[in-house]
Amino acid sequence: MDTIGSTPTLRVARKLAYYILCTLIAVVMFLPFYWSVLTSIKPDSDIFSMPIKWFPTDITFEHYIKAFTTVPFGLFFSNSLILAASGVLMNLFFGSLAGFAFAKLKFKLNQPLFRVLLAAMMIPGIVTMIPSVYVLKHLPLFGGNDLFGAGGNGLLNSFWGIILPGASGSFAVFFMRQFFLTLPSDMMEMARIEGAGEFRIFWRIYLPLTKPALATLGIFTFQAGWNSFLWPMIVLNDPAKATIQMGLQAFSYNYQTDYGPMMAGALVAILPILVMFLLLQRYFIQGIAFSGIKG
């Protein structure tokens, strides 16, 4: 005999309440994006009209045209794509290489160095920003600098000043280490018996097994690089090297904001991340599931 708490009617009511709550949360989460889409296709006179028009009758695409004609939006888009893709490639390679070393290779400083890595993850990026700029500016023999790092600008105002400091992030190393720990070590021992070197074992045996983790890390890294604003604004002074996030600020001037083109540009800016997630979502879910199993 069913108890009161497990009657069919009560179970249906609980399930119905659960779906209603999930629907409300989904609506609240989706509302800002919907508002951005509305703002990008509304005429200027309707953006702040009262009452709010949730289903506009007048639709225009002049804001998208203005977004690409007011500033060189296509150039900014390609600059961001170069920087984000370069960051992804370097983090995938160096992060997986270091993660493999921490997870599978036995050396004396393995645990002490890994603890230093964990400690570095707790330091806010804003704390290391000034020292990083100083290092980039005074890097010897680059950007007109002499052997002592004086006389030029180093890697400032160059794409390398954005790419190199984040070539192997602490999170990338930690994330890949966690995934490599889930893979058996027997394959490595067998490969060593066959005479394979450590890098060949990493490249030919273990790395192909980490596709879910690589896809997940690639999405995280691309999103961080694509949305980066403060660091590129500090390093890059040439308008021709500006990123898409820096270009969006062109629509805010003299204490005024041109919301229509800004929202149109922002929607165009999120397309690469959205497409990348849709293409790699299967691997993304697997990477999240497996990367934290073993610590």
Side-chain angles (χ1 to χ4, degrees):
M1 182 177 181
D2 292 339
T3 61
I4 297 178
S6 61
T7 58
T9 303
L10 188 56
R11 288 198 298 269
V12 171
R14 287 178 176 174
K15 185 174 292 187
L16 181 62
Y18 172 77
Y19 283 119
I20 291 175
L21 179 62
C22 290
T23 303
L24 291 176
I25 294 175
V27 169
V28 172
M29 297 293 290
F30 181 73
L31 191 59
F33 177 77
Y34 180 67
W35 177 258
S36 299
V37 175
L38 287 183
T39 305
S40 70
I41 61 177
K42 282 182 179 179
D44 289 330
S45 58
D46 292 345
I47 291 179
F48 293 106
S49 62
M50 297 299 291
I52 298 175
K53 295 182 179 180
W54 294 104
F55 302 97
T57 54
D58 297 329
I59 296 178
T60 178
F61 293 98
E62 63 175 304
H63 296 316
Y64 288 89
I65 298 175
K66 189 175 181 180
F68 280 88
T69 55
T70 303
V71 295
F73 214 68
L75 176 63
F76 298 161
F77 193 96
S78 62
N79 290 342
S80 291
L81 190 61
I82 292 172
L83 292 174
S86 301
V88 168
L89 293 177
M90 288 200 168
N91 269 272
L92 291 184
F93 178 72
F94 291 113
S96 59
L97 191 63
F100 174 79
F102 280 121
K104 295 301 180 182
L105 301 183
K106 296 179 180 180
F107 53 97
K108 188 175 182 180
L109 295 179
N110 188 313
Q111 290 302 316
L113 288 177
F114 184 69
R115 292 189 181 97
V116 171
L117 177 74
L118 293 179
M121 293 178 62
M122 302 176 189
I123 301 176
I126 194 69
V127 175
T128 61
M129 194 162 290
I130 294 178
S132 297
V133 171
Y134 185 85
V135 170
L136 290 177
K137 180 176 176 57
H138 296 284
L139 201 64
L141 304 179
F142 284 93
N145 285 340
D146 56 23
L147 187 61
F148 300 98
N153 291 320
L155 293 181
L156 293 182
N157 201 29
S158 71
F159 283 170
W160 288 112
I162 305 295
I163 297 172
L164 290 181
S168 180
S170 301
F171 174 77
V173 178
F174 172 78
F175 186 84
M176 294 305 299
R177 172 192 179 268
Q178 296 303 105
F179 195 90
F180 276 117
L181 286 175
T182 65
L183 302 178
S185 300
D186 298 342
M187 297 181 295
M188 183 165 54
E189 300 300 331
M190 294 176 62
R192 284 173 177 169
I193 295 175
E194 296 293 330
E198 301 299 335
F199 184 81
R200 187 178 181 185
I201 293 173
F202 159 75
W203 187 258
R204 300 294 297 272
I205 299 177
Y206 279 93
L207 192 61
L209 300 176
T210 63
K211 289 181 180 179
L214 293 176
T216 305
L217 180 60
I219 292 175
F220 285 150
T221 307
F222 186 88
Q223 182 180 15
W226 185 265
N227 292 331
S228 181
F229 171 73
L230 182 58
W231 182 245
M233 187 176 65
I234 293 174
V235 175
L236 302 175
N237 298 320
D238 186 356
K241 297 178 180 178
T243 64
I244 196 170
Q245 306 302 333
M246 296 168 63
L248 289 176
Q249 69 173 343
F251 301 109
S252 182
Y253 49 88
N254 295 332
Y255 303 102
Q256 295 180 350
T257 302
D258 202 352
Y259 288 100
M262 177 178 283
M263 290 301 174
L267 289 173
V268 173
I270 69 173
L271 288 179
I273 298 177
L274 183 62
V275 171
M276 187 176 184
F277 177 77
L278 291 177
L279 293 176
L280 301 177
Q281 62 176 333
R282 177 167 62 92
Y283 295 110
F284 176 78
I285 295 173
Q286 293 177 5
I288 291 295
F290 288 109
S291 60
I293 289 179
K294 190 174 182 181

